[in-house]
Amino acid sequence: MTKIKENSTRNENKQLTAGWCPVSYVMNKLGGYWKPIILFQLIEGPKRYSELRKAIPTITEKMLIQHLKQLQEDNLVLRTATAVVPPHVTYKLTQAGINLTPVMEAMANWAINNRENN
Amino acid sequence: MTKIKENSTRNENKQLTAGWCPVSYVMNKLGGYWKPIILFQLIEGPKRYSELRKAIPTITEKMLIQHLKQLQEDNLVLRTATAVVPPHVTYKLTQAGINLTPVMEAMANWAINNRENN
DNA sequence: ACAAGTACTTACCCTAAAGTATGTATTATG
DNA sequence: CATAATACATACTTTAGGGTAAGTACTTGT
């Protein structure tokens, strides 16, 4: 949305770390407060835009589409629109997105085990 | 370091998502450009502060200790200091940190496979 | 005529986190 | 007595990303 300053140290370092470190690479794709939650919703199956909104009541519309767009660019989510009025748009995981689910499950399992001993 | 404004919407949402979503919970612990890279260095074994600095030349000292502190607070890394001059401090993974390595490997594998078809 | 429903878009503000630069304590050594 | 070595600390600046609020397009139903 807002243009990023490509020559800022910050952005350069981001690129750099994503280049070296496969974990950073993944973190960049899953980064953002809402992305994991959106993906989680879509694991259950394709959902309409409005269904996602209802499923995640505390997200704003701006954040929702912004993240959906990034997820599309990163080839994790596929958007399908039907040209009707009112519009009908569904989002679903791509194969790469589906492949990510075991990774997310591994993260979730670690979280559960780690949370217990606190 | 810098105090966070606890009642900002942003911070509230962060807490909220980390509460619901185990993946967000993990993302918060691994968030920050350098944390995965620091953890990766420590997978190989304990390292001194100065060794970490040399291993990650582009990181600044501020970022390095800041992340090391957060990793300690999150119980992923253990700091051991010997009272000598010049100081001798080593960092190593805790059990929780060690448990995280298969998760990070899963992320890395996904990254490798996903990067190929781009 | 206008409200309702869907899927966005856009202009603006605020802040957490990253980066820059410099300083500190302690002791051994030339 | 000044420098080196190690492991930090701290004051200040910048920016990416998140949040707020309001608007848009198109058609069907009343």
Side-chain angles (χ1 to χ4, degrees), chain A residues 13 48 50 61 65 69 79 86-87 89 91:
Chain A
N13 278 339
R48 294 184 63 175
S50 52
E61 298 208 63
I65 36 116
K69 278 192 178 175
R79 189 188 106 114
V89 178
Y91 291 92

Side-chain angles (χ1 to χ4, degrees), chain B residues 48 81-89:
Chain B
R48 295 184 63 174
T82 336
V84 290
V85 168
H88 186 102
V89 178

Side-chain angles (χ1 to χ4, degrees), chain A residues 14 16 24-25 29-30 40 65-66 74 76 84 106-107 110 113:
Chain A
K14 195 168 184 177
L16 188 67
S24 298
Y25 174 84
K29 306 231 160 191
L30 296 189
F40 184 75
I65 36 116
Q66 187 171 303
D74 287 341
L76 295 178
V84 291
M107 293 170 83
W110 181 88
N113 292 330

Side-chain angles (χ1 to χ4, degrees), chain A residues 54-103:
Chain A
K54 277 166 210 156
I56 315 169
T58 41
I59 199 174
T60 63
E61 298 208 63
K62 186 202 166 196
M63 282 295 105
L64 183 52
I65 36 116
Q66 187 171 303
H67 284 137
L68 282 170
K69 278 192 178 175
Q70 288 172 16
L71 290 168
Q72 283 176 77
E73 278 170 26
D74 287 341
N75 195 38
L76 295 178
V77 157
L78 190 70
R79 189 188 106 114
T80 321
T82 336
V84 291
V85 168
H88 186 102
V89 178
T90 53
Y91 291 92
K92 65 172 186 174
L93 296 181
T94 61
Q95 189 56 48
I98 294 168
N99 293 341
L100 203 56
T101 61
V103 177

